Amino acid sequence: MDRYLDCARFGPRYLAQEPIARLVEASLQRGVILSQYELGPYAIMANHVHVLLLPQVPHRACCSP
């Protein structure tokens, strides 16, 4: 799937626009500032994002039944 996404020739590529990619990066950093998660490595691609997060909120706080 990742190879398909990385080579996509059709469809939206909004993240290739620097202002939009910066907005996504700022959103990821905001979660760190709010102590919602630890941010691991991430890559913002033209049409998708790879990100590794370690949640810092109790399970009940984010996933109520």
Side-chain angles (χ1 to χ4, degrees):
M1 178 58 93
D2 285 336
R3 286 188 190 141
Y4 171 76
L5 291 171
D6 291 340
C7 298
R9 294 189 177 114
F10 303 100
R13 299 174 54 87
Y14 301 118
L15 297 171
Q17 299 174 39
E18 190 171 336
I20 295 175
R22 286 182 187 218
L23 180 64
V24 170
E25 185 173 24
S27 295
L28 290 171
Q29 295 296 335
R30 180 147 171 82
V32 174
I33 292 168
L34 296 174
S35 299
Q36 294 176 337
Y37 50 76
E38 289 182 27
L39 180 60
Y42 63 92
I44 301 173
M45 310 299 284
N47 60 352
H48 66 285
V49 177
H50 295 270
V51 62
L52 183 61
L53 305 172
L54 178 61
Q56 298 297 305
V57 295
H59 180 71
R60 282 181 253 135
C62 70
C63 306
S64 61

